[in-house]
Structures are given as C-alpha cells and as structure tokens.
Amino acid sequence: MTRLFYFGNSDAGWMPVNHLAGLMMRLLDAGPCDLAPCRLSLPRRIATTLTAPPKGGAGGDIFLLRSPSELTRALAHPLWRERRAFRALWVIDSFWTETWPRPAARLLSHFDLVAYTRRDDAADYEALAPGRAMFLGWGADVLDLGSDAADRPIDILRVGRQPAAWDDDVRTAAACAARGLTFHGRPPFPTSPETQQTGLMRDWYGRAKFVIAHSNIAAPAPYTHPTRAYITARWTDALAAGASIAGRQPEGDLPLVSWPDSLLETEEIDLDRNLDRIAEAVAAWTPGIARRNHQEALARFDWRNRIATLATRLGLSTPALAAEMQRLRAAVKG
C-alpha cells in the first residue's frame, strides 16, 4: 500500500495543501501518516545520515513537506525504517533551500524522487538530488472546485496577506465605493476546516472578477522569503475559479498562470492608483475572461495532472486516478 506522510493541521494558509493531500490519498489509494508529532533526536539523526533505510517490498511512501526544514520530521517518523519499494519527497515551499538540514545531499539520497514547486528552484534541487529532482508546480482542484460563472457581483476581493496600503478593508471599501466598485474584505473563516477550501473557491473566488494578490518581494512579511518571488495557491485557486489576479506580481514565477487577462499588473503599491487601474479593467471585463481563466487552469495546473505525473514517475496506477484523468481530459476538451 502507498502511504502519504504530511503535517496534519488546520492552519488556514495550508488548507489548499491539505486539500491536495486528500486528493492524493483518494487518487493513489494511499493511507495517511501524520508528521506533526515527529521530532528527530541527535542519535537518530546521526544514524539516519549514515544508514539508508531498507528498500524492497510492495508499497511505497510519499512525503508531502511544507518546507525543506520539515525533512527531519520525515526521518523521525516511526515508519521511516520499514522496507519500502520507493520513497518520494514533494516540497511545497521549495524556495526555502537555505533551511535544508545538513548534510542535505546525503539525506536526500534516501529518496528516489525529490519534487519542488517553484520552477526557478530547479538548479538547487538538481544539485542536491541529481537525476532525481522533478518540478511539480502549484495547482488547484480546478475540475471539482473551479468555476466559469458569468455572474460575479464582487468586483474586487481581498484574501490573505496584503501590504499596508491594502490591509485596511474599511478604507479600501470606501475607496472602491467612490469609484463605483463593489469590494469585499477578507472572507470569514468557515467553522469547519474540512469545508474551508470548498467554501473559499466556490463562495468567494467564484463570485469575484478580481482577487488582490501582491508579490512577496513587493509586499514582504516575516514569514515570506526575502529574495525569491513566488506564486501561491491564491493565484492558482482564484484563476481556477475564474477570477483574475490584480496587484504587484511576482516577476519570474508567472509562466504557469500568465495568459491574456489572467493577471493585472498594478506596478507600484498605492491604493488609489491601483484602484484607478483596476476600475478600468472592471469596466472592460466580460464573462469570457472568467471562462478563459477556468479553461486555461484546467489545461495547465489541475492537481490531477501533478498527481498523475508523480504516479507515472513512481510506477503507480490506480482505477481512481485513471477515471479522474479521463474526466479531466474531457473537461479540457470542453
């Protein structure tokens, strides 16, 4: 049996990844293993560094890590030393390469595959895992949670981290009203973590024309990388639900989500100037933009494509994955 190891939590910022984990378990017929309680002692770390885990058997393990630093949790799990046919690693915040536990290359040699989510991290990962590094970019559950709805009563939706100029929803709402724009501030968090991803995409992204998202370089925070720009689930989830993204964009990490009308670059971060630019785009908006966003997302980054790519590399196949890929191909064809 395939096993999926990941950090179980109800943090709002990780709901898209938790949703991915759920999809992976369903499509790969994989059992869950929680990394949250795992800690690696010094003697165990030394032993793990020096001795590779046993290979063989019928089942394999996939480790879905939040960042490189979480590798120690994988190595500390009680099941790490079991005989397995393969061990694969997929790092979501792959850009935190300076946080790999040492000796990184030696520890990563225990894995048959090391996947990263930010394309520009390729050289770093190839150096650490030559011939075993693989790009699996950000995605979304476009097929089941996406939308091409034409009715979008919210012109501008604020979600998540914002720079100071955009962080006061009351001020932003007043500035939007002065321009005849409908604005909604940060959506309320659902009481159930299990429904949060569905609610955010269907009830909010799917009802908005534009979602505000700024590059981590232009609008830094204590928890963002200071030098490497990147997109997050806010980009892929919003586009999957038909909304376009407006804000100062993360240059260099946009090929996956960039097509006509998908992104509105506002350049400098200034609320009034940004809103003037967005107001022009709202006036020119048509339902065809939502349809194109949804269709491009289906073709480019549905999570099922990522899971299928990973499964092919690991020699995995399941009836559930085959059926979902058939559904996805049909949807892409329209």
Side-chain angles (χ1 to χ4, degrees):
M1 178 183 183
T2 302
R3 301 184 299 207
L4 180 67
F5 294 75
Y6 69 104
F7 190 98
N9 70 94
S10 58
D11 185 345
W14 285 96
M15 285 302 106
V17 180
N18 289 345
H19 188 80
L20 166 62
L23 270 178
M24 292 177 70
M25 287 186 284
R26 178 166 65 86
L27 299 189
L28 300 179
D29 192 20
C33 298
D34 190 5
L35 294 176
C38 300
R39 296 290 189 277
L40 191 64
S41 66
L42 180 58
R44 181 79 177 274
R45 180 166 179 167
I46 294 172
T48 301
T49 301
L50 296 175
T51 309
K55 294 291 292 289
D61 293 338
I62 301 171
F63 296 83
L64 186 66
L65 304 188
R66 296 177 297 176
S67 71
S69 64
E70 207 164 78
L71 177 60
T72 55
R73 291 183 182 271
L75 303 177
H77 198 283
L79 299 179
W80 171 254
R81 298 299 307 175
E82 290 192 354
R83 187 176 299 276
R84 304 301 284 167
F86 65 80
R87 291 175 177 84
L89 197 64
W90 184 358
V91 186
I92 298 300
D93 281 358
S94 58
F95 44 81
W96 287 108
T97 54
E98 62 270 37
T99 68
W100 279 114
R102 297 181 179 181
R106 173 62 182 171
L107 295 174
L108 290 177
S109 70
H110 300 332
F111 294 89
D112 302 281
L113 177 68
V114 180
Y116 53 94
T117 310
R118 177 180 176 269
R119 188 183 297 274
D120 283 354
D121 297 329
D124 291 320
Y125 279 74
E126 188 60 34
L128 290 171
R132 294 173 290 115
M134 180 183 191
F135 172 65
L136 292 175
W138 262 107
D141 187 355
V142 192
L143 189 60
D144 283 344
L145 302 185
S147 173
D148 62 359
D151 183 18
R152 294 182 177 261
I154 301 172
D155 291 328
I156 302 174
L157 175 66
R158 175 262 169 91
V159 177
R161 171 182 58 87
Q162 297 293 340
W166 278 91
D167 203 39
D168 185 335
D169 286 346
V170 174
R171 177 193 174 199
T172 304
C176 285
R179 293 165 172 81
L181 300 171
T182 57
F183 169 78
H184 200 289
R186 187 195 298 269
F189 291 122
T191 55
S192 169
E194 290 76 21
T195 63
Q196 180 172 313
Q197 185 66 10
T198 301
L200 181 61
M201 291 186 67
R202 291 181 176 171
D203 299 338
W204 298 103
Y205 290 152
R207 298 172 57 234
K209 297 182 181 76
F210 288 92
V211 170
I212 301 301
H214 299 278
S215 167
N216 57 294
I217 303 300
Y223 52 85
T224 62
H225 200 284
T227 61
R228 296 189 175 190
Y230 51 86
I231 64 169
T232 66
R234 193 164 15 158
W235 276 257
T236 51
D237 285 349
L239 289 164
S244 297
I245 299 290
R248 187 70 180 93
Q249 298 305 300
E251 297 176 8
D253 198 33
L254 296 177
L256 182 66
V257 299
S258 183
W259 54 85
D261 298 316
S262 61
L263 304 173
L264 177 61
E265 175 58 70
T266 58
E267 298 181 350
E268 80 276 26
I269 296 176
D270 178 281
L271 182 65
D272 289 321
R273 292 179 182 177
N274 295 166
L275 286 177
D276 288 343
R277 178 72 184 88
I278 296 171
E280 295 175 0
V282 168
W285 185 90
T286 68
I289 293 175
R291 288 194 299 271
R292 181 168 187 174
N293 286 343
H294 176 66
Q295 197 64 30
E296 290 281 359
L298 275 172
R300 292 178 183 229
F301 56 71
D302 189 281
W303 279 134
R304 291 159 182 79
N305 273 324
R306 306 286 184 261
I307 296 169
T309 300
L310 177 64
T312 298
R313 181 73 172 262
L314 296 175
L316 293 175
S317 63
T318 67
L321 179 58
E324 288 293 277
M325 290 305 294
Q326 186 174 357
R327 283 183 62 213
L328 179 59
R329 286 191 290 268
V332 170
K333 289 180 181 178

